[in-house]
Amino acid sequence: NMSLDPDLFGISICAMVRDFYLLQRPRGRVITRCSRFVTTFMLLFLCLFIQIFLLSQVKRFVSAKAVHDIRIAYDTFEQHMYGGHTLVLTTEPHLERRGILGATGPYFNASAFSSLSAKDQAAACDIPLSQPFF
């Protein structure tokens, strides 16, 4: 015997196994088994729909602003650290530039970080995963 989690997914599995088993035996009314089966799966799909809806709304209202602010901060950082030697990746919905040849290229100037404003330094250091070992 295997125990199931006490949630909607566990109930769905239990109902499906039980009702399919009892449908194979001539016990009980078939319409009752089928209606319970359909009701269980309607609840399961409703639960999945609510979860997908909530995730999309979090992305739309919470994550979108954070990603926008991070992109602006990183663009400012790249433009300053490469002394203007950057390539434009996109202009819509906002400008995104990246340094030519990356951090090992001839244009990257690590000492330029100290001349960034305190606000821009803080914004660059607060980008998630900018300091993965911190």
Side-chain angles (χ1 to χ4, degrees), residues 8-86:
L8 186 59
F9 299 104
I11 289 172
S12 299
I13 292 170
C14 181
M16 183 173 68
V17 170
R18 181 174 185 258
D19 287 335
F20 275 145
Y21 173 75
L22 293 174
L23 278 173
Q24 299 299 317
R25 307 181 88 197
R27 288 190 182 176
R29 297 178 59 194
V30 173
I31 192 73
T32 304
R33 306 270 178 236
C34 291
S35 66
R36 184 169 44 213
F37 184 77
V38 169
T39 303
T40 302
F41 274 94
M42 285 176 49
L43 285 172
L44 179 65
F45 287 122
L46 178 66
C47 178
L48 290 174
F49 172 76
I50 290 171
Q51 290 175 359
I52 291 168
F53 174 75
L54 288 174
L55 280 175
S56 68
Q57 297 307 304
V58 166
K59 179 185 177 210
R60 182 177 171 198
F61 292 112
V62 178
S63 302
K65 181 181 179 344
V67 168
H68 178 266
D69 294 345
I70 287 169
R71 285 182 175 167
I72 290 173
Y74 194 69
D75 178 66
T76 303
F77 170 80
E78 288 275 311
Q79 182 69 12
H80 186 78
M81 295 300 287
Y82 287 90
H85 295 93
T86 56

Side-chain angles (χ1 to χ4, degrees), residues 105-120:
Y107 302 112
F108 182 72
N109 182 7
S111 62
F113 187 76
S114 61
S115 64
L116 269 170
S117 70
K119 177 184 166 193
D120 291 338

Side-chain angles (χ1 to χ4, degrees), residues 90-104:
T90 62
T91 57
E92 294 297 326
H94 50 80
L95 185 64
E96 287 187 34
R97 295 173 284 211
R98 297 296 179 264
I100 298 173
L101 300 176
T104 58

